[in-house]
Amino acid sequence: DQQVKQNSPSLSVQEGRISILNCDYTNSMFDYFLWYKKYPAEGPTFLISISSIKDKNEDGRFTVFLNKSAKHLSLHIVPSQPGDSAVYFCAASNPWGGSQGNLIFGKGTKLSVKP
Amino acid sequence: DSGVTQTPKHLITATGQRVTLRCSPRSGDLSVYWYQQSLDQGLQFLIQYYNGEERAKGNILERFSAQQFPDLHSELNLSSLELGDSALYFCASSVGHDNEQFFGPGTRLTVL
C-alpha cells in the first residue's frame, strides 16, 4: 500500500509559467518531507525539504507547501525553465525506519517544460 | 556530482547469473542505502548499512545480499538473476540516519 502518492505521472508546462507538482501521503506521523529531482542517466538530487512544523519553505524559484490536515504537499516552480524538465520525486521521512527505510518515495512526476 | 560513485554504469547479463554492484559513499558518510527502480516504479528501498552494520532491511529478495566494508564502500550482490531483476539500482549515502541522502548515478542492470 503506497504511503506516498504522486498521482500525476507527467506534467507539461510552458516556459515562464508555474509548475505545480502534487504529493499525498497517508501517515500523519510523517514529520519531514523532501523533493528530489532526477535527470535521465543520473541519480536523484535533493531539491528542497519541509518540516511538519512549517507550512511553506522557499528556495529561489522553488517553494514547497505543506497542508497537514489534507496530508498533501506541493512543489511550485516559478518561473519554469526548460532545464527544469526532469522527474520529481516526493519523499517522506519515516521516523521508524525498518523495512521501508527512513525515506519513503513516491513514483515520481515527469515534468516537461516547453520553450 | 553528488560525490557518490557507482560501478559499473551498465551491466548486461543472462538469467541465472550473479553480479556485484559497487558503491563508494561520499567522504565522511557512514550510511549507505540501496534502492531499486523498476520501470514506472518509484524508488524501492532494499537495505541500509551504517558504519559496517546492517541498519534496516527493506523488501530485499533472499537472492540479493549486501555488505559494507571497513573502508565504507558497499557491494550489492544479486544472484540467480531473473528477467524481473532488470532495473536501475541506486546507491545513496548520508552522514548518519539523515533525511537528506546523496545518490549515485545508478547501475542499469539488464537481464536477458
Side-chain angles (χ1 to χ4, degrees):
Chain A
D1 187 27
Q2 270 194 287
Q3 294 196 60
V4 178
K5 298 178 186 177
Q6 293 177 257
N7 292 319
S8 298
S10 63
L11 175 67
S12 184
V13 170
Q14 207 66 32
E15 181 179 5
R17 306 295 289 267
I18 183 171
S19 294
I20 301 176
L21 296 98
N22 294 305
C23 178
D24 297 296
Y25 60 96
T26 58
N27 192 331
S28 59
M29 298 298 287
F30 290 152
D31 60 1
Y32 194 80
F33 303 89
L34 305 89
W35 285 93
Y36 280 79
K37 179 166 83 170
K38 184 185 178 304
Y39 292 118
E42 294 183 13
T45 55
F46 169 74
L47 186 60
I48 192 170
S49 62
I50 188 165
S51 165
S52 61
I53 62 172
K54 295 186 173 182
D55 54 20
K56 176 183 172 181
N57 188 26
E58 196 170 346
D59 183 2
R61 297 185 297 114
F62 302 90
T63 304
V64 57
F65 295 92
L66 176 62
N67 182 335
K68 288 188 289 293
S69 61
K71 297 195 192 71
H72 176 85
L73 62 156
S74 60
L75 174 68
H76 292 212
I77 307 174
V78 184
S80 302
Q81 298 173 354
D84 297 328
S85 297
V87 176
Y88 290 79
F89 291 99
C90 171
S93 174
N94 173 22
W96 308 278
S99 66
Q100 295 180 311
N102 63 326
L103 284 184
I104 300 173
F105 287 87
K107 290 190 177 183
T109 296
K110 184 175 182 179
L111 173 66
S112 299
V113 180
K114 310 257 183 243
Chain B
D1 185 354
S2 67
V4 178
T5 60
Q6 287 187 251
T7 56
K9 284 183 81 78
H10 301 278
L11 201 48
I12 301 174
T13 188
T15 54
Q17 295 297 306
R18 172 190 165 96
V19 297
T20 297
L21 313 183
R22 184 189 167 103
C23 168
S24 292
R26 290 188 321 157
S27 177
D29 285 358
L30 298 179
S31 276
V32 169
Y33 311 79
W34 286 97
Y35 292 88
Q36 179 192 58
Q37 185 185 20
S38 302
L39 195 63
D40 295 331
Q41 295 293 312
L43 293 156
Q44 300 294 316
F45 169 71
L46 294 178
I47 198 163
Q48 177 199 356
Y49 279 83
Y50 175 77
N51 203 21
E53 300 286 329
E54 183 183 301
R55 169 94 166 95
K57 202 167 189 175
N59 294 324
I60 186 168
L61 300 171
E62 284 192 17
R63 300 183 285 108
F64 295 2
S65 65
Q67 54 184 327
Q68 186 180 29
F69 294 87
D71 67 353
L72 300 177
H73 92 271
S74 178
E75 292 181 357
L76 178 67
N77 300 296
L78 316 176
S79 61
S80 302
L81 284 167
E82 302 175 359
L83 296 177
D85 298 327
S86 295
L88 269 168
Y89 291 84
F90 289 104
C91 166
S93 73
S94 66
V95 175
H97 314 302
D98 298 340
N99 292 315
E100 186 178 339
Q101 298 176 12
F102 296 84
F103 284 79
T107 293
R108 180 172 291 282
L109 173 67
T110 303
V111 183
L112 300 174

